[in-house]
């Protein structure tokens, strides 16, 4: 059993049809008993824009993100997404993911939010800096090394690309995942 993770994350949520495609991958991996971690931690399909683990978030005030994200979301349009590849991050989490095509609009969204956070005095963790961020949508976490190949095989059965839109941005606390607040992209503040 892996150790519990705690902290905050800024997540980009997708439209219901695209979210359902990601949930199909989660469920296929769970049926094969490869990983149920994301389901167990009550996560929702997303692209993590920034993660602030407990070691770096002890001094973070979650309410500070409210106005930053509301203002930011009001200036963004829903963002086209196309999950076109599968990938893996090794290390402690043994993560399998769907990779969105890294469009200029996705990279700009991340970069502009990074600038907005820094302007408010929030330090962006190194793994999520503009030059290091790997856009991805997790589909399995803490996959046993001996099952990684099988996990890839299950994901290869998905009919990629799957496309849709990023429609909301949220601040969540983890683990388990609890959404603190979210904002629809393109919604003017106060509307």
């Amino acid at each position: 059993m892996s150790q519990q993770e705690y902290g905050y994350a800024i997540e980009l949520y997708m439209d219901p049809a695209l979210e359902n495609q990601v949930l199909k991958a989660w469920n296929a991996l769970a049926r094969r008993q490869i990983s149920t971690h994301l389901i167990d931690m009550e996560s929702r399909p997303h692209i993590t824009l920034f993660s602030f683990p407990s070691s770096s978030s002890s001094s973070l005030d979650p309410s500070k993100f409210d106005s930053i994200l509301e203002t930011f979301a009001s200036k963004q349009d829903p963002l086209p997404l196309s999950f076109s590849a599968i990938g893996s991050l090794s290390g402690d989490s043994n993560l399998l993911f769907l990779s969105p095509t890294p469009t200029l609009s996705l990279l700009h969204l991340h970069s502009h939010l990074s600038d907005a956070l820094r302007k408010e005095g929030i330090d962006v963790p190194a793994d999520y800096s503009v030059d290091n961020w790997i856009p991805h949508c997790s589909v399995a976490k803490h996959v046993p090394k001996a099952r990684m190949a099988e996990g890839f095989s299950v994901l290869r059965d998905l009919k990629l690309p799957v496309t849709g839109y990023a429609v909301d941005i949220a601040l969540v606390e983890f683990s388990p995942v609890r959404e603190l607040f979210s904002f629809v992209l393109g919604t003017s503040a106060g509307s």
Side-chain angles (χ1 to χ4, degrees):
M1 184 74 184
S2 62
Q3 72 181 51
Q4 194 77 331
E5 304 159 334
Y6 298 99
Y8 299 100
I10 299 174
E11 299 180 344
L12 196 57
Y13 293 148
M14 49 211 81
D15 67 76
L18 185 54
E19 186 172 297
N20 282 334
Q21 292 297 314
V22 175
L23 287 171
K24 282 182 185 178
W26 287 17
N27 291 329
L29 293 162
R31 276 192 305 278
R32 299 283 282 274
Q33 299 180 339
I34 294 171
S35 175
T36 60
H37 185 79
L38 294 167
I39 295 168
D40 295 344
M41 69 185 286
E42 301 174 28
S43 190
R44 176 178 171 189
H46 64 276
I47 295 173
T48 303
L49 296 170
F50 298 94
S51 182
F52 304 91
S54 58
S55 58
S56 67
S57 64
S58 57
S59 63
L60 284 181
D61 176 5
S63 64
K64 190 172 188 177
F65 289 92
D66 192 337
S67 62
I68 296 169
L69 293 181
E70 182 177 24
T71 301
F72 182 79
S74 72
K75 297 175 183 176
Q76 304 298 317
D77 288 325
L79 184 72
L81 291 175
S82 177
F83 293 116
S84 53
I86 55 177
S88 167
L89 294 175
S90 59
D92 294 340
S93 66
N94 280 346
L95 183 73
L96 293 174
F97 61 85
L98 298 178
S99 180
T101 302
T103 61
L104 204 50
S105 55
L106 178 60
L107 298 175
H108 277 155
L109 179 136
H110 179 263
S111 174
H112 291 152
L113 182 54
S114 181
D115 291 345
L117 293 172
R118 281 198 183 95
K119 188 189 277 187
E120 294 299 324
I122 298 171
D123 291 328
V124 172
D127 288 349
Y128 292 89
S129 70
V130 173
D131 291 333
N132 292 329
W133 180 58
I134 299 171
H136 66 278
C137 177
S138 301
V139 292
K141 199 170 183 181
H142 301 302
V143 177
K145 281 187 180 182
R147 309 273 323 263
M148 290 292 277
E150 183 182 357
F152 267 102
S153 180
V154 169
L155 294 175
R156 289 186 56 85
D157 289 340
L158 296 175
K159 293 181 180 11
L160 297 179
V162 291
T163 61
Y165 288 87
V167 294
D168 298 287
I169 192 167
L171 181 72
V172 300
E173 183 177 50
F174 59 91
S175 176
V177 174
R178 183 173 67 94
E179 183 180 297
L180 300 178
F181 43 79
S182 68
F183 300 99
V184 175
L185 298 182
T187 305
S188 298
S191 65

